[in-house]
Amino acid sequence: PGVGCSLFTYRGLRIGTLICYDCEFPETTRHVALLGAELILVPTALGAQWGWVGRTLIPARAFENGVFLAYANHSGRENGFDYLGESFIAAPDGEVLARAGQSSELLVAEVDPSRVQQAQARLPYLVDRNRLQMSAAIAE
């Protein structure tokens, strides 16, 4: 557990990091996006039985926040565990720009910050979320 995330800048790109399971929570990915991340790096060790997470859920995190997301997953078998592999780089519109197979691979994709601005302007989730009016009360 921590108290939030921070960003760093590399070659002019604002980058945040989430570790493994952290990215599966919409709130953590949104938190990093609201800090201004254009790219989120996610090192992970997703088990082979969780393919839906790596193929659908995590690319959706890129889409719903309008950011690039690089998901670097462990692959192969180790200590009796099978890992999914299938690392990928997703664009701010959710398009998977590059995806590995079930073994180690080097992935390369162009990360253009203007695509972040375009995606966030097209679907302004980060701005419009402030207009939501939700009650903290739970109906019984």
Side-chain angles (χ1 to χ4, degrees):
V3 293
C5 300
S6 58
L7 304 182
F8 64 95
T9 301
Y10 179 73
R11 295 186 178 186
L13 193 66
R14 292 183 313 263
I15 302 170
T17 303
L18 295 173
I19 308 295
C20 198
Y21 185 59
D22 293 347
C23 193
E24 295 178 30
F25 293 92
E27 297 86 356
T28 55
T29 312
R30 176 67 39 94
H31 171 71
V32 176
L34 286 169
L35 290 174
E38 297 165 303
L39 168 65
I40 301 174
L41 305 176
V42 185
T44 188
L46 186 67
Q49 73 274 27
W50 300 106
W52 186 86
V53 171
R55 295 181 196 119
T56 306
L57 179 70
I58 304 302
R61 296 283 177 257
F63 173 81
E64 67 194 8
N65 291 288
V67 297
F68 285 93
L69 195 148
Y71 193 74
N73 192 31
H74 193 49
S75 62
R77 183 170 179 79
E78 185 177 319
N79 297 323
F81 293 100
D82 292 316
Y83 296 93
L84 182 66
E86 298 188 28
S87 297
F88 66 87
I89 302 168
D93 61 4
E95 174 191 4
V96 174
L97 302 174
R99 182 177 294 276
Q102 294 181 337
S103 60
S104 297
E105 293 185 43
L106 175 64
L107 300 178
V108 177
E110 182 177 338
V111 177
D112 178 355
S114 71
R115 289 186 69 180
V116 172
Q117 296 163 353
Q118 291 167 1
Q120 291 176 355
R122 185 184 70 251
L123 291 171
Y125 291 141
L126 300 178
V127 173
D128 289 347
R129 64 180 270 287
N130 293 324
R131 296 181 188 161
L132 296 176
Q133 302 213 1
M134 297 184 285
S135 172
I138 298 175
E140 293 185 31

